[in-house]
Amino acid sequence: MTSSGSDGQRLGRLLAHPGFARFLTARLAVSIAVQMQTVAVGWQIYAITHDPLDLGLIGLSQFLPFVLLVLPAGHVADRQNRARILAACYALEFLCALLLLAFTLAGLTVVWPVFAVMVLFGVARAFSMPAGQALLPNLVPLEHFSRAVAVNSSTWQVSTIAGPAIGGLVYLLGPEDVYGSVAVLLAIAVVLMIGVHAPAPAPQTEPDSWHTLLEGLRFVWQRKIILGAVSLDLFAVLFGGATALLPAYAHDVLHIGPDGLGILRAAPGVGAALIAVAFAWRPLHRRVGPLMFAGVALFGIATVVFGLSESFVVSLLALTVLGGADMVSVYIRHLLVQLETPDAIRGRVSAVNAVFIGASNELGEFESGLTAAWWGLKPAVVVGGIASVAIAGLWMRWFPALRDMDRFPEAPAREAGGSG
């Protein structure tokens, strides 16, 4: 009881930091909005074309502007107020929701306008990801950082549960109702982020140049443990990502509607949230490397089970396990990146991390849609899951220091401008 009460008190002290509380609430609103929008866009496009390749193009249209802009965005995050950057990004996402609402009300019969909006959405994500990742260590004291990472991840996972379920249910009323709700949530997030006061980045002595722009990339390349962690997640999710094909699975394999699709999309979030809450309550301290590889291997196995399933219940269970396994690697990777990185280049290193995340997610969606168009839904998912397991085995061989890591680094490497 004493230990449990102490954990609860520490969690309460963490949430007592007003900047962190506002950031957390804004991120929850944005994440729910994005998850709702994802369900609506996927179902709407598949209803128009019935082509799984178009589901992949949703991801590709977001990834291309993202990968072009995210490194400069990391540079901006090290020069400008990170909270203001996030507020501007959320405002741009709000505009995207309004455009989707306008297209739908006008009677959408072709899909290219949606892809155009997704390009704009990718621009917003390119700047929001490095700024958001780099901002978090500035909002809480050092001793609360690992718990803040877990709570932040828990909040995102709550959104992956609530957002798709809400989006699927609201879609029964019409896609315009989903996009209108998304716009309201994003407007709330903008107001919240405007109220976040974060310390200004440390003054930069180096002039802007390609050398400073690529500093984050050089840092990740030199830190083999970080390189192994982010590249492991990249390739495992790139080949094993099945969620992009959920609209097609729901319609063609499981024969359910948008409400069922929302439940399927929520299932990975349920599993991930359970793991994130466990880590928030009891942060991970030992066997860091082995647990990361075990999570990736289990992610691949669950993907294979989902690909073979024709049962709604079995599919839900497989997706739940998949989400929980993925959360293990997400938590470990995020802590490693932040704890190893000086604050002065945290934005640029977070941008490199964001490139890997974006490639695994959005480019993974395109890869899933493309292989499904070539081979069919089930073979594409099953082969992808097998590839994820194989990648875990290869990375254990190629990155032995990560495989054998027992504990996280003792403390973040900080320079002037960091919190603490």
Side-chain angles (χ1 to χ4, degrees), residues 77-389:
D78 285 333
R79 294 291 200 272
Q80 305 297 326
N81 186 297
R82 293 161 180 168
R84 296 295 176 268
I85 295 172
L86 275 182
C89 292
Y90 294 163
L92 183 55
E93 292 179 10
F94 169 72
L95 174 62
C96 291
L98 292 182
L99 289 172
L100 290 172
L101 175 61
F103 292 149
T104 301
L105 291 175
L108 187 69
T109 57
V110 293
V111 297
W112 70 262
V114 177
F115 293 143
V117 173
M118 290 298 99
V119 169
L120 195 59
F121 189 77
V123 172
R125 288 188 68 249
F127 284 87
S128 67
M129 286 189 69
Q133 291 181 21
L135 175 63
L136 180 58
N138 300 145
L139 299 178
V140 296
L142 173 61
E143 63 269 19
H144 293 160
F145 180 62
S146 64
R147 197 175 299 271
V149 170
V151 172
N152 187 43
S153 297
S154 300
T155 301
W156 186 80
Q157 296 303 338
V158 167
S159 73
T160 65
I161 299 168
I166 295 171
L169 289 173
V170 176
Y171 195 96
L172 295 176
L173 302 175
E176 63 275 5
D177 294 277
V178 179
Y179 299 136
S181 302
V182 167
V184 171
L185 288 171
L186 290 170
I188 293 172
V190 172
V191 174
L192 286 169
M193 282 309 305
I194 290 174
V196 172
H197 301 289
Q204 300 289 327
T205 58
E206 292 182 282
D208 292 340
S209 66
W210 279 104
H211 178 82
T212 56
L213 181 67
L214 298 176
E215 182 64 28
L217 193 60
R218 284 192 297 273
F219 182 87
V220 170
W221 181 257
Q222 292 166 3
R223 299 296 198 281
K224 297 305 180 185
I225 286 178
I226 296 180
L227 178 63
V230 297
S231 61
L232 172 65
D233 180 79
L234 163 64
F235 288 104
V237 178
L238 176 66
F239 292 110
T243 54
L245 300 175
L246 284 180
Y249 252 89
H251 187 276
D252 297 341
V253 178
L254 301 178
H255 307 293
I256 54 178
D259 52 338
L261 170 62
I263 295 172
L264 286 177
R265 277 208 173 268
V270 172
L274 292 174
I275 298 299
V277 168
F279 286 157
W281 200 255
R282 297 284 188 184
L284 180 65
H285 296 298
R286 302 296 303 273
R287 298 184 59 78
V288 171
L291 283 174
M292 184 174 191
F293 283 105
V296 173
L298 183 58
F299 171 86
I301 292 170
T303 300
V304 172
V305 173
F306 171 76
L308 295 173
S309 170
E310 294 185 359
S311 163
F312 183 67
V313 173
V314 173
S315 297
L316 278 178
L317 290 174
L319 289 171
T320 302
V321 172
L322 178 153
D326 186 48
M327 185 63 222
V328 174
S329 66
V330 167
Y331 174 83
I332 293 173
R333 183 191 72 243
H334 189 72
L335 267 178
L336 279 176
V337 171
Q338 297 298 339
L339 292 175
E340 288 277 355
T341 306
D343 189 72
I345 63 169
R346 186 170 277 124
R348 280 164 286 179
V349 173
S350 296
V352 175
N353 187 35
V355 170
F356 283 85
I357 295 172
S360 65
N361 292 332
E362 280 78 20
L363 195 58
E365 290 180 9
F366 175 67
E367 181 273 337
S368 296
L370 190 63
T371 54
W374 288 346
W375 305 337
L377 286 174
K378 286 181 173 291
V381 175
V382 171
V383 171
I386 294 171
S388 295
V389 176

Side-chain angles (χ1 to χ4, degrees), residues 391-413:
I391 286 164
L394 287 173
W395 260 242
M396 288 180 69
R397 181 180 180 88
W398 293 344
F399 295 92
L402 179 61
R403 179 195 65 207
D404 299 332
M405 176 179 282
D406 183 53
R407 295 178 181 270
F408 288 111
E410 287 297 322

